């Protein structure tokens, strides 16, 4: 399919990653109580998927050191999937104790980012994630897989598509239900996204791919639009545009959920999310982090 075929989908799934991707890089520690209150607001906004925290080493990500308390104490609204990032079996054990619904495993398509982010080579990571996938599925959980640095690496620059395919295929082999393709440092442009998806969609069905755009250079929404035109109906975003990867220099927040919703609503694409409730949750966390967030929708209503 080419970009000129403007067959927009009727419905899109929005995966809210703010409580994890958004907070992991925040200097201000958001109290456990505030995180819980905020996630509960998100649950009430009509979102069907929230990545609530990360069961990584708290020495690496101190902002999410209260992962267990957060996952354990949030309200569980029916129809909402509560997911968390898990890097290894230790993280899985902690996540299972907190009864998360979905395990999100992650790795990079570039060697140096993988090493800096999770202290392992790509080939060392595969068997670890295979065990995590096996154990998670045995415990009755679903598994989602992130591939980072799909469109460029902060250390190595361009990333070869064969590596993206190899990592994606290996993650599908370990049982992930879908893959989220990460533009970790926000370097992608729409033509690059189109070319990458042209290749990936020959190998994997569109229902099994999600896009995860960071907005470092202001192109995330243009990249969402071209992905929609290519048949993708699943997007990660962070409320208020909060966030970034602490092990990816230059990374800033994801495309803002509130801006994404504004665009999808305006285009008549259903998400099930209530604009006003979402904006209220965005204002809440903006006040807690104590600085204006990058979301345009938030600025427009301030
Ligand atoms: P390591 O130091 O190699 O781990 O870290 P280790 O197995 O050698 O263990 C060292 C210590 O860590 C031990 O404790 C372990 O128990 C502990 P000690 O004996 O020294 O007291 N440990 C743990 N503690 C709690 N939970 C765990 C855990 N595992 C080990 N799960 C590790 C390896 C993967 C843990 C570390 O590198 C890490 O935590 N990395 C996480 C980095 C991270 O969270 N990055 C951001 C998320 S990725 C991202 O943002 C990209 C994404 O958004 C997509 C995109 O944008 O592209 C997903
Ligand atoms: Mg990310």
């Amino acid at each position: 399919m080419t970009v000129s075929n403007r067959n927009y989908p009727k419905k899109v799934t929005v995966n809210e990653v703010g409580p994890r991707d958004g907070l992991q890089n925040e200097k201000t520690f958001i109290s456990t109580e505030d995180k819980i209150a905020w996630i509960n607001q998100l649950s009430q906004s009509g979102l069907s998927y929230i990545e609530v925290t990360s069961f990584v080493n708290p020495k690496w990500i101190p902002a999410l050191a209260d992962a267990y308390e957060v996952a354990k104490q949030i309200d569980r609204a029916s129809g909402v999937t509560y997911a968390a990032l898990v890097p290894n079996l230790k993280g899985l054990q902690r996540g299972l104790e907190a009864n998360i619904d979905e395990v999100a495993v992650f790795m990079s398509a570039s060697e140096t980012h993988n090493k800096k982010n999770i202290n392992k080579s790509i080939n060392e990571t595969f068997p670890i994630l295979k065990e995590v996938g096996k154990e998670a599925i045995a415990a009755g959980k679903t598994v989602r897989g992130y591939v980072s640095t799909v469109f460029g690496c902060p250390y190595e620059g361009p990333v070869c598509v064969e590596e993206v395919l190899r990592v994606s295929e290996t993650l599908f082999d370990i049982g992930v239900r879908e893959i989220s393709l990460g533009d970790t440092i926000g370097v992608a442009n729409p033509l690059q996204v189109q070319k990458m998806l042209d290749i990936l969609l020959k190998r994997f069905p569109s229902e099994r791919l999600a896009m995860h755009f960071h907005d470092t250079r202001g192109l995330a929404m243009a990249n969402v639009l071209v992905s929609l035109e290519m048949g993708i109906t699943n997007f990660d975003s962070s409320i208020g545009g909060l966030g970034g990867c602490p092990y990816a220099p230059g990374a800033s927040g994801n495309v803002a959920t509130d801006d994404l919703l504004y665009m999808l609503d305006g285009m008549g694409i259903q998400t099930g999310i209530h604009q006003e409730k979402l904006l209220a949750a965005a204002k809440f966390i903006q006040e807690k982090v104590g600085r204006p967030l990058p979301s345009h929708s938030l600025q427009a209503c301030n």
Side-chain angles (χ1 to χ4, degrees):
M1 188 183 290
T2 66
V3 197
S4 56
N5 295 347
R6 291 169 200 265
N7 296 322
Y8 294 110
K10 290 195 168 44
K11 212 173 154 217
V12 151
T13 302
V14 174
N15 308 297
E16 174 58 50
V17 297
R20 192 280 302 171
D21 208 341
L23 288 190
Q24 69 185 8
N25 208 20
E26 266 309 309
K27 306 281 171 286
T28 315
F29 184 83
I30 304 300
S31 74
T32 307
E33 196 188 354
D34 285 341
K35 283 175 184 146
I36 293 168
W38 177 46
I39 294 168
N40 288 345
Q41 284 184 39
L42 293 170
S43 285
Q44 295 307 316
S45 73
L47 282 158
S48 59
Y49 191 99
I50 310 175
E51 198 173 74
V52 292
T53 191
S54 195
F55 291 97
V56 296
N57 187 340
K59 287 189 188 137
W60 286 55
I61 307 287
L64 304 179
D66 54 359
Y68 176 81
E69 290 76 12
V70 169
K72 196 78 186 160
Q73 291 172 37
I74 49 172
D75 296 339
R76 301 295 180 101
S78 75
V80 182
T81 300
Y82 296 91
L85 218 60
V86 162
N88 53 19
L89 283 174
K90 172 145 194 177
L92 178 66
Q93 187 195 339
R94 295 173 57 216
L96 292 178
E97 281 162 15
N99 195 26
I100 53 167
D101 297 328
E102 176 156 279
V103 170
V105 296
F106 60 105
M107 61 183 295
S108 313
S110 59
E111 204 57 75
T112 318
H113 183 261
N114 202 67
K115 182 82 184 166
K116 300 256 186 201
N117 198 33
I118 51 176
N119 209 18
K120 300 275 180 305
S121 70
I122 287 178
N123 284 337
E124 285 165 348
T125 307
F126 290 142
I128 296 171
L129 298 191
K130 188 174 176 185
E131 276 302 298
V132 171
K134 197 175 111 196
E135 296 290 321
I137 291 164
K141 305 297 175 185
T142 50
V143 186
R144 185 175 203 240
Y146 278 107
V147 184
S148 288
T149 64
V150 167
F151 300 96
C153 171
Y155 306 101
E156 297 176 18
V159 171
C160 107
V161 66
E162 282 74 25
E163 266 305 273
V164 176
L165 284 169
R166 182 171 83 100
V167 171
S168 304
E169 238 147 38
T170 310
L171 288 177
F172 278 127
D173 286 346
I174 70 162
V176 304
R177 66 170 180 89
E178 75 181 22
I179 277 179
S180 176
L181 300 163
D183 182 16
T184 317
I185 50 166
V187 286
N189 65 66
L191 190 59
Q192 191 187 2
V193 172
Q194 189 200 351
K195 286 180 176 165
M196 179 64 78
L197 281 175
D198 256 334
I199 296 168
L200 289 174
L201 287 168
K202 288 194 175 78
R203 201 73 74 89
F204 313 115
S206 59
E207 316 83 77
R208 300 195 73 187
L209 298 179
M211 305 307 288
H212 179 105
F213 293 117
H214 283 267
D215 199 29
T216 319
R217 291 164 182 81
L219 287 183
M221 199 65 82
N223 293 332
V224 168
L225 189 63
V226 83
S227 307
L228 278 171
E229 288 170 348
M230 301 284 293
I232 301 292
T233 57
N234 199 342
F235 295 92
D236 298 350
S237 58
S238 172
I239 191 161
L242 196 64
C245 177
Y247 297 97
S252 59
N254 300 79
V255 64
T257 312
D258 26 333
D259 290 340
L260 178 62
L261 182 64
Y262 181 83
M263 182 176 86
L264 295 173
D265 272 357
M267 291 170 72
I269 299 172
Q270 290 166 29
T271 61
I273 308 168
H274 305 278
Q275 184 88 248
E276 276 170 27
K277 288 183 181 172
L278 194 77
L279 277 172
K283 283 180 187 161
F284 177 89
I285 197 64
Q286 175 169 257
E287 201 186 303
K288 299 298 172 191
V289 299
R291 64 183 161 78
L293 294 181
S295 145
H296 296 281
S297 304
L298 256 183
Q299 286 165 27
C301 71
N302 268 339

